[in-house]
Amino acid sequence: MELLKNPGSFRDPAGQIYKYKGRIIRIIKKFGKERYEHIKQKKIIQDSVDNNFLIPTKEVTEEFKDLKLDQGHYFLEHQNIDYISYPYEWSFSQLKTAALHHLNFQLFLLDRDIKLIDSSAYNIQFIDHKPIFIDVLSLDKYSEGDYWTGHSQFLQQFLNPLLLRSIKGIQFNEWYKGSLDGIKTSDLNDMLSFKDKLSLNIFLSVVLLSKFEKENKIDPKKALKKIKSRKSLSKNSYKSILLQLKNWIQKLKPLTKKTDWDTYSISNTYKKEEEDRKLSIVHNFSKIHRPGIIADIGCNDGIYCCESLKAGANKAIGFDIDLNSIDRAYLNSVKKNLKFLPLYFNVMNPSSKLGWNENERESFIDRSKFDAIISLAFVHHLTLANNVPLDQAIKWLMKIAPIGLIEYVDKEDETVKRMLSLKGDIFPDYNKENFEKNILVNGSIVNKIDLSKTRILYEFKKN
């Protein structure tokens, strides 16, 4: 089996990522040879791994010594991450956690005379709820007087999205997805009021940087002259910038606006005994199948993911459109130290292939390699609220995993009645018979459980 290059790994000429027999291999090329040898000599990689900053990494050059690959000087193997997520899929607290991880890692490295050469948010992934840095080649030798070359990138990809939510209450996710480099400082500055700009932190990190950003566009020669004329920056000054940002970000909180789904888990239209029955079914399903990774589509605050983990699932990934719910689910995962990663997900506009050549970032469906799925009280929102044909909705859900649980909610249910009262019943194909028929088109019904007069839970197995 050949090494397969990751199509999103092209930006760094120092080395790229490959897949090999299910393993993640990084090849250090000529341009990155000196950089890697320096951090190797200082034993920075293992030190960073031991302190939970860097993805577990080991050198495997000897194993690949006979591989004829142009400019392949060193080979590293990284721990494989079960599910890759992106900053535009994170809640406020997740992006904040990633930002603090990046800053703490920089402070850790500077004490060892190493720096990070960029500040890409994509260099951080979550293993369960824990952030981890994944790009070894972002580490380089620090020399006294060096500037933080990734400062502007950090603002765009970490700070500005956080400020957008914290100051204006605007969710950054869809904007971020539409602009993979984050939110420009000049764009954020244009949105802030005069009162917002009275903050010293905002003035220094947004207003002044926005002015510099705009001057760069107008007169790049003038900007280059300014950069060349700057005095060197001492290490203590460098660290002070990082600490100031760290202290500021630690205090940021989302300006939360109430959403339709904020209290869904405690104020839905079904009775407590129905929820207890669902929890019992999810528990038994997970206990029997013990999925490696179970996905919950429409997870809300993650109650069923937690139950699945309790029963024997190894990991759970939850997806929901409500960012307040995702934030609560994430903080609960942190508090209870769960193997649970909740993510923002708009089923009508899911993450697609994005970036250069539409291959730099993978789509949701390309990353959907789950062992099982639970989708409770979800299909009727897809079909009745968003007009997705029932056959397409069920086919899509059953494509995500080979086994799972899907709930049918009848038109006589109070929730559905409210939904139909707004647009009328224009869905003649939405009924129990067609629901079952479409499951059978794509697989088999393993079990069928009546939750109430209007709700049925189906266990399916895909063909």
Side-chain angles (χ1 to χ4, degrees), residues 28-44:
I28 311 294
K29 299 189 176 181
K30 183 177 180 180
F31 188 72
K33 183 174 180 288
E34 183 179 345
R35 190 190 312 171
Y36 172 69
E37 287 175 346
H38 179 75
I39 61 174
K40 178 183 177 182
Q41 185 269 328
K42 290 181 70 75
K43 300 181 180 178
I44 291 297

Side-chain angles (χ1 to χ4, degrees), residues 213-371:
E213 194 176 274
K214 288 178 179 178
E215 284 179 351
N216 270 355
K217 289 181 182 178
I218 296 168
D219 192 345
K221 289 183 179 180
K222 185 178 178 182
L224 184 61
K225 186 177 179 181
K226 278 187 178 181
I227 292 170
K228 288 181 176 180
S229 66
R230 290 186 303 189
K231 295 180 181 179
S232 62
L233 187 72
S234 69
K235 184 191 284 189
N236 283 337
S237 296
Y238 195 149
K239 291 173 72 173
S240 292
I241 294 171
L242 299 173
L243 286 167
Q244 180 270 328
L245 275 169
K246 177 183 171 181
N247 293 334
W248 182 18
I249 290 172
Q250 280 178 326
K251 296 173 185 175
L252 292 179
K253 295 181 179 180
L255 180 59
T256 303
K257 298 178 180 179
K258 186 173 175 58
T259 66
D260 293 338
W261 307 102
D262 259 351
T263 57
Y264 181 76
S265 62
I266 58 174
S267 64
N268 45 64
T269 57
Y270 52 87
K271 297 176 182 178
K272 186 179 185 303
E273 50 264 35
E274 289 180 40
E275 181 176 285
D276 290 343
R277 188 93 190 276
K278 282 187 187 181
L279 286 168
S280 176
I281 294 166
V282 169
H283 185 97
N284 290 334
F285 174 82
S286 300
K287 186 177 181 180
I288 291 168
H289 296 288
R290 296 188 176 274
I293 305 178
I294 191 166
D296 184 353
I297 308 297
C299 70
N300 198 255
D301 53 12
I303 182 174
Y304 298 106
C305 287
C306 294
E307 191 65 30
S308 184
L309 290 169
K310 191 189 302 182
N314 184 47
K315 293 175 184 284
I317 313 289
F319 299 91
D320 204 281
I321 194 171
D322 187 85
L323 280 159
N324 292 350
S325 298
I326 288 298
D327 218 39
R328 285 198 306 272
Y330 171 71
L331 293 173
N332 184 55
S333 182
V334 173
K335 181 180 179 181
K336 296 182 178 179
N337 194 27
L338 302 174
K339 289 189 171 184
F340 171 38
L341 176 65
L343 295 168
Y344 170 74
F345 179 69
N346 180 353
V347 68
M348 297 307 295
N349 186 26
S351 296
S352 57
K353 288 179 176 289
L354 294 170
W356 166 244
N357 202 27
E358 299 178 83
N359 264 325
E360 196 174 354
R361 309 290 173 222
E362 288 188 312
S363 68
F364 165 79
I365 208 69
D366 286 342
R367 288 175 285 154
S368 297
K369 299 174 178 66
F370 306 115
D371 300 298

Side-chain angles (χ1 to χ4, degrees), residues 88-133:
Y88 44 85
E89 297 170 333
W90 300 343
S91 71
F92 180 92
S93 294
Q94 287 170 308
L95 184 61
K96 176 178 173 178
T97 298
L100 293 173
H101 187 83
H102 178 96
L103 294 172
N104 285 328
F105 191 27
Q106 282 220 62
L107 290 164
F108 170 86
L109 292 173
L110 282 173
D111 286 339
R112 291 154 178 78
D113 291 326
I114 299 293
K115 65 182 179 182
L116 291 180
I117 61 174
D118 64 57
S119 299
S120 172
Y122 298 93
N123 284 342
I124 291 180
Q125 283 296 320
F126 281 89
I127 298 178
D128 307 326
H129 61 270
K130 298 173 184 176
I132 199 75
F133 197 87

